[in-house]
Amino acid sequence: MQIAASLLTTDPGRAVAALVAERADARTRLDVLSYEDGGHTTAVQAAFHLSYQRLLPHHRQLFRQFALNPGPDTSTDAAAALWGQPRARTRNGLATLARVGLLAEQPMGSERWRMHDLLRVYAARLVESDSAKWRSAAFTRLLKHCQKLVRAANAHLHTCDDGPLPDDFRDRAHALRWLEEERANLMALIARAAANGHPRAVLDLQEKMRPFLLSRRSYATDAVTVTQLAVDCAREIGHPCCEATALNHLSQILPDCGRVEEAVEAASKSLDISRTRGDRKRQAMALTSLGASLQRAERFEDAVKAHTESLTLSQELGDQGCIGKALMGLADTLHETHRYEEATDVLTESVRHFGAMGDWHAEGLQLMRLGDTLFAMKRSTEAVETFRRALVLYQERGDEHHQAIALQHLWSVSDMSAEEAVDNYQRLVAVCHKVCDRALESVALNALGNKLDQLGRYEEAVAAYRGAAAIHEERDEERLLTTVLNNHGIALRTAGRITEAAEVHEREIELARARGDRHKEAEALERLATTLRCGRRRLEALEARVRAVGIYREQKDTWCESRALGDLGPRVRDAPRADRTKAGYTWVLANLPPNDAVGQEGRILIALMVMHARAGHVIAAFWSWASLTKTMWGLLDEGENQVPEQYFHTLMQLMKASLYGVHPIQALISLRDRLRRPTT
């Protein structure tokens, strides 16, 4: 900061933005941060060099090699792989560098080390002076270290074998935590490997990381990036089979990023390469992926055709794995199109097929899919029995993760008391937390909240909904988050925590608006209005409900508009003279100027004032007038100078509209009748 200030002081014509731009370029960053004054030079690089020269030779080597890891931080194990030394010695070396301020362990005791960006630039310059062979050997050691750990983590996350698991990780949760911590480093490493001529390492890392990246929607972009790099690397080494496989994988990932047509194109390219080479097995795999992409594109007939062709080809080859995948894809498409009878036949065949293969993992998944289909056909007893079969299968294998999934399916269709359901879902939440299945944990927490709400245990329900919402926030699942926020807000309202409930509904409104879902926004506004009214915040409640009416009117949703108006007071549905009331409301809106100061919400308020007055609801008419006046004062505070004139013009229009059918005497009589005490 001192150097930058000195540079700007001695050169007043130099723009701050220009210095910032020069500082942003990593190649010139250190050169820019240098200042000479009367033969005395102040430079960041000189200070770094002084600290570096005080190091022992082997610590200098460790400092230089640290820059070869392209990620934001480096674990002790990764640094040991780079340096080619035992872990204990590497830890001591890193601690030495930290003592002299050349890097830091963040947080303390985490075994993860970070280097300031200026120091990283300095180290990268130094390491360039080392031989290319030496740098390549260090980077290759890091690549092999990461490949080994990624393979081990993938085995823990997605194993279907009964054999021993790699001992690099204690359990599935440990493997998943490592992948989360190293994701940014692994992504940067794959990009560096692709640029530095390690295509086979890229293909291997992409293959093993893909299932983890697909487990969370927020990582879909990363999955697309590494898979596209794999496609490029396969082309670089002239390996069309690997290219076809990578394109196949790419087609499975792109729909999660909303790029469905690109997914169809990628699967078609994979199919073309396989046909050109006469590779019938890869043709079958590409047809299955093409069918899945066509299903996501809602081209269902084409999807069924692709899956059927894949199944026929797989049966001709006698490839049991391809047959199973084709059956799964065909069943999914048939279920999606509500062709449940056909889907049931295909799923029954796939269960038998995987059972004969000894693939208990896939057999259990297909049993659960069959149970879903049977339940959709209202064959609940058979659905429950099917889910129980899947549960027993996973219990026999000791697979806690899929036991939890089977239990969730089973309880969703079983008849049980609310108390029993609460106990069951609490156990399910604990299991999901243990195996780190955050997606299923959020589903279980939401279901638990629903059951607690039924039992009147509102505070516990609020805690469950809050936990589910936190998981959806973490996973960037906005659509699911909106549903949970709805339940959370209602539970808070029922518990009497009005202020918190209003905040939750406002968050729900923001999410719907950000997604461009106007209908969901209006529904959330109605819930907010109900909550505010329970808190006796009548004016705010009225404004929220009017905004909802405005959205419904904009969307031409007359049914929802009538429902919202009914909540506001006017008898516009299922009431005597409802048609006349709605006609008057519509007439007033049609005869008010479209460009008045208050906009659409103000015009709706004016129409409400007229209708409330016409129906004798004087107090409701007063609240409408108060809200309109508040809106006008708000515009006046914002500096709208023409507001008073437009406001009086609007009032004139209101007076004219009032003549349409408001009878003051009748309104007063109605008010008197409402306030008069009944006599015995």
Side-chain angles (χ1 to χ4, degrees), residues 164-182:
L165 292 169
D167 58 3
D168 299 272
F169 301 101
R170 294 185 300 275
D171 51 26
R172 185 179 187 274
H174 185 202
L176 185 60
R177 186 166 60 252
W178 181 84
L179 284 169
E180 293 282 0
E181 292 173 349
E182 292 288 348

mmCIF file of all heavy atoms in Angstrom, residues 164-182:
data_model
loop_
_atom_site.group_PDB
_atom_site.id
_atom_site.type_symbol
_atom_site.label_atom_id
_atom_site.label_comp_id
_atom_site.label_asym_id
_atom_site.label_seq_id
_atom_site.Cartn_x
_atom_site.Cartn_y
_atom_site.Cartn_z
ATOM 1 N N PRO A 164 -12.743 -55.531 -0.011
ATOM 2 C CA PRO A 164 -12.233 -54.472 0.880
ATOM 3 C C PRO A 164 -12.093 -53.150 0.143
ATOM 4 O O PRO A 164 -11.789 -53.109 -1.050
ATOM 5 C CB PRO A 164 -10.862 -55.018 1.313
ATOM 6 C CG PRO A 164 -10.465 -55.970 0.213
ATOM 7 C CD PRO A 164 -11.740 -56.571 -0.295
ATOM 8 N N LEU A 165 -12.305 -52.061 0.879
ATOM 9 C CA LEU A 165 -12.171 -50.724 0.315
ATOM 10 C C LEU A 165 -10.775 -50.186 0.581
ATOM 11 O O LEU A 165 -10.104 -50.607 1.528
ATOM 12 C CB LEU A 165 -13.213 -49.794 0.935
ATOM 13 C CG LEU A 165 -14.668 -50.087 0.577
ATOM 14 C CD1 LEU A 165 -15.605 -49.264 1.461
ATOM 15 C CD2 LEU A 165 -14.932 -49.792 -0.882
ATOM 16 N N PRO A 166 -10.299 -49.252 -0.237
ATOM 17 C CA PRO A 166 -8.975 -48.660 -0.003
ATOM 18 C C PRO A 166 -8.909 -48.027 1.385
ATOM 19 O O PRO A 166 -9.883 -47.440 1.869
ATOM 20 C CB PRO A 166 -8.862 -47.592 -1.106
ATOM 21 C CG PRO A 166 -9.826 -48.020 -2.155
ATOM 22 C CD PRO A 166 -10.941 -48.709 -1.449
ATOM 23 N N ASP A 167 -7.739 -48.176 2.033
ATOM 24 C CA ASP A 167 -7.600 -47.673 3.398
ATOM 25 C C ASP A 167 -7.127 -46.226 3.453
ATOM 26 O O ASP A 167 -6.747 -45.736 4.528
ATOM 27 C CB ASP A 167 -6.646 -48.564 4.199
ATOM 28 C CG ASP A 167 -5.269 -48.661 3.550
ATOM 29 O OD1 ASP A 167 -5.052 -47.990 2.519
ATOM 30 O OD2 ASP A 167 -4.416 -49.405 4.068
ATOM 31 N N ASP A 168 -7.156 -45.512 2.327
ATOM 32 C CA ASP A 168 -6.784 -44.096 2.331
ATOM 33 C C ASP A 168 -7.799 -43.256 3.097
ATOM 34 O O ASP A 168 -7.467 -42.167 3.572
ATOM 35 C CB ASP A 168 -6.682 -43.580 0.891
ATOM 36 C CG ASP A 168 -5.632 -44.318 0.085
ATOM 37 O OD1 ASP A 168 -4.466 -43.900 0.127
ATOM 38 O OD2 ASP A 168 -5.987 -45.318 -0.562
ATOM 39 N N PHE A 169 -9.038 -43.761 3.192
ATOM 40 C CA PHE A 169 -10.096 -43.044 3.908
ATOM 41 C C PHE A 169 -10.767 -44.001 4.881
ATOM 42 O O PHE A 169 -10.895 -45.198 4.612
ATOM 43 C CB PHE A 169 -11.122 -42.472 2.926
ATOM 44 C CG PHE A 169 -10.535 -41.524 1.919
ATOM 45 C CD1 PHE A 169 -10.267 -41.937 0.627
ATOM 46 C CD2 PHE A 169 -10.223 -40.225 2.282
ATOM 47 C CE1 PHE A 169 -9.710 -41.071 -0.302
ATOM 48 C CE2 PHE A 169 -9.661 -39.348 1.367
ATOM 49 C CZ PHE A 169 -9.403 -39.769 0.070
ATOM 50 N N ARG A 170 -11.214 -43.434 6.006
ATOM 51 C CA ARG A 170 -11.843 -44.272 7.033
ATOM 52 C C ARG A 170 -13.187 -44.814 6.578
ATOM 53 O O ARG A 170 -13.518 -45.973 6.799
ATOM 54 C CB ARG A 170 -12.020 -43.462 8.323
ATOM 55 C CG ARG A 170 -10.728 -43.051 8.998
ATOM 56 C CD ARG A 170 -11.010 -42.369 10.334
ATOM 57 N NE ARG A 170 -11.820 -41.178 10.171
ATOM 58 C CZ ARG A 170 -11.331 -39.975 9.882
ATOM 59 N NH1 ARG A 170 -10.028 -39.818 9.707
ATOM 60 N NH2 ARG A 170 -12.122 -38.925 9.759
ATOM 61 N N ASP A 171 -13.997 -43.930 5.956
ATOM 62 C CA ASP A 171 -15.348 -44.311 5.566
ATOM 63 C C ASP A 171 -15.831 -43.368 4.471
ATOM 64 O O ASP A 171 -15.072 -42.517 3.985
ATOM 65 C CB ASP A 171 -16.306 -44.278 6.767
ATOM 66 C CG ASP A 171 -16.225 -42.956 7.535
ATOM 67 O OD1 ASP A 171 -15.845 -41.931 6.925
ATOM 68 O OD2 ASP A 171 -16.546 -42.948 8.739
ATOM 69 N N ARG A 172 -17.085 -43.529 4.108
ATOM 70 C CA ARG A 172 -17.657 -42.717 3.038
ATOM 71 C C ARG A 172 -17.642 -41.231 3.387
ATOM 72 O O ARG A 172 -17.337 -40.382 2.540
ATOM 73 C CB ARG A 172 -19.092 -43.177 2.763
ATOM 74 C CG ARG A 172 -19.766 -42.483 1.591
ATOM 75 C CD ARG A 172 -21.170 -43.033 1.381
ATOM 76 N NE ARG A 172 -21.743 -42.496 0.159
ATOM 77 C CZ ARG A 172 -22.395 -41.338 0.080
ATOM 78 N NH1 ARG A 172 -22.536 -40.596 1.167
ATOM 79 N NH2 ARG A 172 -22.890 -40.924 -1.063
ATOM 80 N N ALA A 173 -17.966 -40.909 4.640
ATOM 81 C CA ALA A 173 -18.006 -39.501 5.049
ATOM 82 C C ALA A 173 -16.623 -38.854 4.932
ATOM 83 O O ALA A 173 -16.494 -37.709 4.489
ATOM 84 C CB ALA A 173 -18.525 -39.394 6.476
ATOM 85 N N HIS A 174 -15.589 -39.599 5.321
ATOM 86 C CA HIS A 174 -14.216 -39.068 5.226
ATOM 87 C C HIS A 174 -13.843 -38.829 3.762
ATOM 88 O O HIS A 174 -13.258 -37.787 3.416
ATOM 89 C CB HIS A 174 -13.246 -40.064 5.875
ATOM 90 C CG HIS A 174 -11.842 -39.569 5.943
ATOM 91 N ND1 HIS A 174 -10.759 -40.424 6.062
ATOM 92 C CD2 HIS A 174 -11.323 -38.315 5.883
ATOM 93 C CE1 HIS A 174 -9.645 -39.711 6.090
ATOM 94 N NE2 HIS A 174 -9.961 -38.427 5.982
ATOM 95 N N ALA A 175 -14.196 -39.759 2.881
ATOM 96 C CA ALA A 175 -13.891 -39.610 1.453
ATOM 97 C C ALA A 175 -14.624 -38.416 0.856
ATOM 98 O O ALA A 175 -14.051 -37.625 0.087
ATOM 99 C CB ALA A 175 -14.269 -40.887 0.703
ATOM 100 N N LEU A 176 -15.888 -38.261 1.231
ATOM 101 C CA LEU A 176 -16.673 -37.150 0.702
ATOM 102 C C LEU A 176 -16.123 -35.814 1.192
ATOM 103 O O LEU A 176 -16.038 -34.847 0.426
ATOM 104 C CB LEU A 176 -18.134 -37.310 1.124
ATOM 105 C CG LEU A 176 -19.123 -36.295 0.567
ATOM 106 C CD1 LEU A 176 -19.145 -36.328 -0.945
ATOM 107 C CD2 LEU A 176 -20.520 -36.555 1.113
ATOM 108 N N ARG A 177 -15.714 -35.770 2.461
ATOM 109 C CA ARG A 177 -15.159 -34.525 3.010
ATOM 110 C C ARG A 177 -13.860 -34.150 2.279
ATOM 111 O O ARG A 177 -13.613 -32.979 1.987
ATOM 112 C CB ARG A 177 -14.915 -34.687 4.506
ATOM 113 C CG ARG A 177 -14.481 -33.411 5.194
ATOM 114 C CD ARG A 177 -14.587 -33.527 6.704
ATOM 115 N NE ARG A 177 -13.758 -34.598 7.251
ATOM 116 C CZ ARG A 177 -14.245 -35.734 7.732
ATOM 117 N NH1 ARG A 177 -15.551 -35.942 7.754
ATOM 118 N NH2 ARG A 177 -13.441 -36.666 8.199
ATOM 119 N N TRP A 178 -13.035 -35.152 1.976
ATOM 120 C CA TRP A 178 -11.786 -34.871 1.240
ATOM 121 C C TRP A 178 -12.083 -34.323 -0.150
ATOM 122 O O TRP A 178 -11.440 -33.363 -0.600
ATOM 123 C CB TRP A 178 -10.949 -36.146 1.137
ATOM 124 C CG TRP A 178 -9.643 -35.929 0.425
ATOM 125 C CD1 TRP A 178 -8.484 -35.473 0.959
ATOM 126 C CD2 TRP A 178 -9.397 -36.137 -0.974
ATOM 127 N NE1 TRP A 178 -7.516 -35.382 -0.008
ATOM 128 C CE2 TRP A 178 -8.044 -35.779 -1.213
ATOM 129 C CE3 TRP A 178 -10.156 -36.579 -2.043
ATOM 130 C CZ2 TRP A 178 -7.453 -35.860 -2.470
ATOM 131 C CZ3 TRP A 178 -9.576 -36.658 -3.295
ATOM 132 C CH2 TRP A 178 -8.244 -36.302 -3.504
ATOM 133 N N LEU A 179 -13.047 -34.906 -0.827
ATOM 134 C CA LEU A 179 -13.405 -34.419 -2.167
ATOM 135 C C LEU A 179 -13.925 -32.981 -2.112
ATOM 136 O O LEU A 179 -13.611 -32.172 -2.994
ATOM 137 C CB LEU A 179 -14.459 -35.335 -2.799
ATOM 138 C CG LEU A 179 -13.949 -36.671 -3.338
ATOM 139 C CD1 LEU A 179 -15.128 -37.580 -3.678
ATOM 140 C CD2 LEU A 179 -13.075 -36.466 -4.565
ATOM 141 N N GLU A 180 -14.718 -32.668 -1.095
ATOM 142 C CA GLU A 180 -15.218 -31.300 -0.950
ATOM 143 C C GLU A 180 -14.061 -30.323 -0.742
ATOM 144 O O GLU A 180 -14.019 -29.247 -1.347
ATOM 145 C CB GLU A 180 -16.189 -31.209 0.233
ATOM 146 C CG GLU A 180 -17.495 -31.958 0.044
ATOM 147 C CD GLU A 180 -18.477 -31.215 -0.832
ATOM 148 O OE1 GLU A 180 -18.151 -30.118 -1.306
ATOM 149 O OE2 GLU A 180 -19.585 -31.743 -1.049
ATOM 150 N N GLU A 181 -13.114 -30.700 0.130
ATOM 151 C CA GLU A 181 -11.987 -29.813 0.428
ATOM 152 C C GLU A 181 -11.072 -29.629 -0.772
ATOM 153 O O GLU A 181 -10.512 -28.547 -0.975
ATOM 154 C CB GLU A 181 -11.186 -30.379 1.608
ATOM 155 C CG GLU A 181 -11.922 -30.342 2.944
ATOM 156 C CD GLU A 181 -11.166 -31.068 4.036
ATOM 157 O OE1 GLU A 181 -10.169 -31.772 3.710
ATOM 158 O OE2 GLU A 181 -11.557 -30.955 5.215
ATOM 159 N N GLU A 182 -10.902 -30.685 -1.559
ATOM 160 C CA GLU A 182 -9.928 -30.654 -2.655
ATOM 161 C C GLU A 182 -10.544 -30.308 -4.005
ATOM 162 O O GLU A 182 -9.815 -30.248 -5.000
ATOM 163 C CB GLU A 182 -9.224 -32.017 -2.768
ATOM 164 C CG GLU A 182 -8.314 -32.362 -1.606
ATOM 165 C CD GLU A 182 -7.035 -31.532 -1.610
ATOM 166 O OE1 GLU A 182 -6.757 -30.856 -2.621
ATOM 167 O OE2 GLU A 182 -6.322 -31.558 -0.593
#
